[in-house]
Each structure stands twice: as C-alpha cells, then as structure tokens.
Amino acid sequence: VYMENYLILIRHGQSLWNLENKFTGWVDVELSPQGFIEAGMAGEQLKPYKCDVLWTSDLTRAQQTLSEIVKKTGWKVPVIKTQGLNERNYGDLQGLNKAETILKHGDAQVHLWRRSYDVQPPNGESLKDTLDRVRPVWENCLSPALAAGKNIVVVAHGNSNRALFKIIENISFKKIDVRIIEYLIEQNSKLGKTLELTHQQIAYDIGTAREVV
C-alpha cells in the first residue's frame, strides 16, 4: 500500500533477563552488554534509511536500543514513547527462569501460556490482549502517518511487533511467525543478503533474529 515510504519494526537487543533466560514482560530491565552491541549493529544497517519519526515503548531496553541506533544513524527526529508498544505482560511468570518454569508446570502448559493466541498466563496478557493494546497505536498513529508519506521506525518488543505484523498483514495467529520469516527472507533477497534462521527464531526487518520473550 505504501510504495514511497516504509515502516521498520525492530526488536530490542538482548536484555539482562534474556541473558538469564527469564520471563521479562513489563519488568523494566536494561540491555546486556551483548544487547548494546546488537543495537549498534542494527544502527549500522539502518544508516541508508531516512526516518521521520521514531516510536518506542515505555520500557528501558527498547529505549536503550533506540538510543544506540540513533548514535549510528544520526537521526534528529521526534521520539514518541507509549505503553501501547510495551512487551506482552507475562504476569506471575515475570522474573521466573523459563527452564525451571517448564520443570514445575510442564512443557505443554508453558508452551500454551507463551504461544497460544488467547490464553493468559496467571495475572498476565495473552497475545490477543497485547494486540488489542497495540491496535490503537496502529490505527490512530502509525497508519495515518504512513498514509501521509512518513517513514517510521518502531523500536519495541517481540510480541508487540508480532501483534503489529498480524494487524498489518491481516493474517491468522497461526501464520504470524511463518509470514514474518517469509517476509524477512523476501526483503533480504531484494537487498542481496542471506538470512540464516535457527529453531524458534522470530525475525524482523532490521536487527538480530532471536526467540521472542
């Protein structure tokens, strides 16, 4: 639809709790040293792109990623922060080690909490809840700006980006991850790049492909 301009979705770099294999959600942890490196690498890849406005979440790890990107790109544009783009709230799972949680509750239950569309972890959000929170950002802000010819970069989180992608592509939940990978392969092919994906990786247009947390 938008041929002359673009929307780029970026997931934050590795956080300290990613490194420790913990559920993070809305807990406001910082990037790990590796996360800062990843953010800088994303910034290097983004240097050829023009940006009119930057959007990010209310969480430090996304904002730190954005700051590292801007150091590389030199973009001097408005930065809009909104809780609407926050990661999915994992409720009572936040702060727990994923492997230990699987041992306690079983792989099937943890998989259901993490990968189903409308099942909530205890006191947390489902992906559907996250999508409902993200949708107003798309409908009231991002979509009109794109229609007006703006180039937009969103630095957010795995599940908020998945929700955005589902809304934009108008696809079923089961096809989200497959379509994201297909799209990234298509875009990298156009740029003459080779994309390597490993098991359970969810990839976005620019940045490091890693498992969503």
Side-chain angles (χ1 to χ4, degrees), residues 12-16 18-19 30-42 65 68 208-210:
H12 64 81
Q14 182 190 67
S15 74
L16 292 169
N18 291 152
L19 181 62
E30 298 188 352
L31 293 181
S32 70
Q34 177 62 29
F36 281 100
I37 293 171
E38 293 171 353
M41 291 172 62
T65 301
E68 293 302 306
T208 302
R210 292 202 321 277

Side-chain angles (χ1 to χ4, degrees), residues 29-139:
V29 300
E30 298 188 352
L31 293 181
S32 70
Q34 177 62 29
F36 281 100
I37 293 171
E38 293 171 353
M41 291 172 62
E44 289 288 344
Q45 294 184 62
L46 286 164
K47 281 183 176 180
Y49 293 85
K50 178 183 176 182
C51 177
D52 297 306
V53 61
L54 284 156
W55 282 77
T56 190
S57 77
D58 201 35
L59 298 171
T60 298
R61 58 192 185 273
Q63 295 175 18
Q64 288 178 326
T65 301
L66 183 150
S67 295
E68 293 302 306
I69 288 170
V70 170
K71 287 179 185 178
K72 299 292 184 179
T73 62
W75 291 330
K76 299 184 184 302
V77 300
V79 176
I80 302 173
K81 302 172 184 178
T82 174
Q83 197 175 79
L85 291 173
N86 277 16
E87 177 57 288
R88 176 183 171 189
N89 188 329
Y90 275 98
D92 294 349
L93 300 184
Q94 292 177 170
L96 301 181
N97 180 277
K98 296 175 187 175
E100 293 174 359
T101 304
I102 289 173
L103 289 175
K104 181 177 180 179
H105 296 284
D107 184 68
Q109 180 61 66
V110 174
H111 183 82
L112 186 67
W113 283 333
R114 297 184 67 193
R115 293 292 180 251
S116 63
Y117 180 58
D118 56 4
V119 175
Q120 299 168 326
N123 297 309
E125 290 181 315
S126 65
L127 181 60
K128 181 181 182 301
D129 295 330
T130 307
L131 187 146
D132 290 341
R133 172 165 50 80
V134 168
R135 187 181 294 279
V137 180
W138 168 254
E139 293 181 346

Side-chain angles (χ1 to χ4, degrees), residues 193-212:
K193 298 179 181 179
T194 300
L195 175 69
E196 296 181 0
L197 294 174
T198 58
H199 180 57
Q200 286 190 327
Q201 285 180 328
I202 307 304
Y204 297 99
D205 201 1
I206 297 293
T208 302
R210 292 202 321 277
E211 185 183 357
V212 170

Side-chain angles (χ1 to χ4, degrees), residues 6-9 165 168-169 176-190 195 203-206:
Y6 40 80
L7 167 69
I8 298 176
L9 305 180
F165 204 92
I168 295 167
E169 291 280 299
I176 295 175
D177 296 343
V178 171
R179 180 60 192 131
I180 289 173
I181 293 171
E182 289 175 348
Y183 179 81
L184 188 56
I185 291 171
E186 291 167 8
Q187 296 305 308
N188 278 263
S189 177
K190 291 177 183 177
L195 175 69
Y204 297 99
D205 201 1
I206 297 293

